[in-house]
Amino acid sequence: MRGGDAQVQPRRSGLTRRQKRTLSRSAQYVLFVAAVIAFAATADWGRLKNQFAQWDLVRQMFPDVITLALKNTVLYTMSGFVVGLVLGMVIALMRLSPVGPYRWVAGIYIEIFRGLPALLIFVFVGVAVPLAFPGTEIPGGTYGKVALALGLVSAAYMAETIRAGIQAVPKGQMEAARSLGFSHARAMVSIVVPQAFRIVIPPLTNELVLLFKDSSLVLFLGVTLEERELTKFGRDLASQTANSTPILVAGLCYLLVTIPLGFVVRRLEAKAGEATK
């Protein structure tokens, strides 16, 4: 260009980054809607309704599905959670102990029970324990067996969660307590552990959701009609009627508990995140 002429700027071609992002998001929405329409157009809704939406069977399940099956599921879950929390706390403290054998025992326990499927733990409690100790009965009958099985499974996970929570408490808290004359044990119980539990409440609540679903394994222990939980209750009625509607209703009952619990977990995690800022 000559000196007196204005310099011509090269014209940009193509889309901006924001336009590309908007186009990509729009394409994803279109694909999602297309997939939903394709599913709705190809599914045999008549057969699905006959197999999963028989309202006479739904009415037949009430109120027992709530007053019996859901109640037992909640009882199994809460008893297993309490056993797992107490045992997990002991294992976590052993894991942090300066005594070597305690740490080794806790580490072996955690590795074994985190690696084994929950089903095998239920079989072990229901079959191996009576064989190993003839004539002995686990207190509480089926409820005691389920509490022990769920507690053994969950304790391994809770122990690691609690240990991480204890280690997340600033060391200055223990040092300040010791400087005030607290013993190590009293400082741990009165100062460190309460702060650790405030940290680990969200993951422990999430563990409660997992236990609620794992309670369905109680059917492998052999339960009476009055001891059935949601899965066993739904399966029995589905077998009697040759229809899957009872299983669907049982699944919806699980969601009645797990969805609110999931919301609580998210709220607790959000509050914990705000507290750390």
Side-chain angles (χ1 to χ4, degrees), residues 108-153:
I108 292 172
Y109 177 91
I110 290 171
E111 293 301 325
I112 290 176
F113 283 91
R114 283 200 309 179
L116 289 175
L119 172 59
L120 294 184
I121 307 301
F122 272 81
V123 173
F124 172 79
V125 171
V127 178
V129 171
L131 290 177
F133 305 97
T136 60
E137 289 289 338
I138 297 176
T142 301
Y143 294 95
K145 293 178 182 179
V146 176
L148 179 58
L150 288 177
L152 289 173
V153 173

Side-chain angles (χ1 to χ4, degrees), residues 49-77:
K49 180 180 178 181
N50 290 334
Q51 190 66 23
F52 291 99
Q54 293 296 320
W55 296 111
D56 55 335
L57 294 179
V58 174
R59 289 191 295 268
Q60 183 180 340
M61 295 179 67
F62 286 88
D64 289 346
V65 69
I66 301 296
T67 59
L68 176 67
L70 182 58
K71 181 199 73 174
N72 283 336
T73 300
V74 172
L75 289 177
Y76 292 147
T77 302

Side-chain angles (χ1 to χ4, degrees), residues 150-215:
L150 288 177
L152 289 173
V153 173
S154 61
Y157 296 94
M158 290 188 188
E160 287 294 88
T161 300
I162 295 172
R163 178 182 65 84
I166 292 175
Q167 291 179 326
V169 176
K171 293 182 179 180
Q173 297 292 318
M174 174 62 77
E175 295 171 355
R178 295 302 300 273
S179 66
L180 293 174
F182 284 68
S183 65
H184 184 276
R186 185 183 174 189
M188 182 68 73
V189 172
S190 302
I191 306 298
V192 177
V193 171
Q195 295 185 59
F197 267 96
R198 283 197 292 269
I199 296 172
V200 301
I201 282 177
L204 287 182
T205 308
N206 193 47
E207 182 65 26
L208 181 62
V209 175
L210 297 176
L211 280 181
F212 188 76
K213 295 184 293 182
D214 285 343
S215 65

Side-chain angles (χ1 to χ4, degrees), residues 6 10 38 84 89 152 163-164 173 187 204 218 224 230 233:
M89 185 67 201
L152 289 173
R163 178 182 65 84
Q173 297 292 318
L204 287 182
V218 69
T224 65
L230 283 171
F233 185 87

Side-chain angles (χ1 to χ4, degrees), residues 7-58:
Q7 185 177 0
V8 178
Q9 296 292 336
R11 184 177 181 181
R12 294 182 179 180
S13 59
L15 301 175
T16 65
R17 182 178 301 177
R18 183 176 181 179
Q19 290 173 330
K20 290 180 180 179
R21 191 163 52 243
T22 303
L23 183 61
S24 175
R25 188 179 297 114
S26 300
Q28 294 176 31
Y29 288 149
V30 170
L31 288 175
F32 174 76
V33 172
V36 171
I37 293 175
F39 172 78
T42 57
D44 190 336
W45 293 103
R47 295 182 64 180
L48 287 174
K49 180 180 178 181
N50 290 334
Q51 190 66 23
F52 291 99
Q54 293 296 320
W55 296 111
D56 55 335
L57 294 179
V58 174

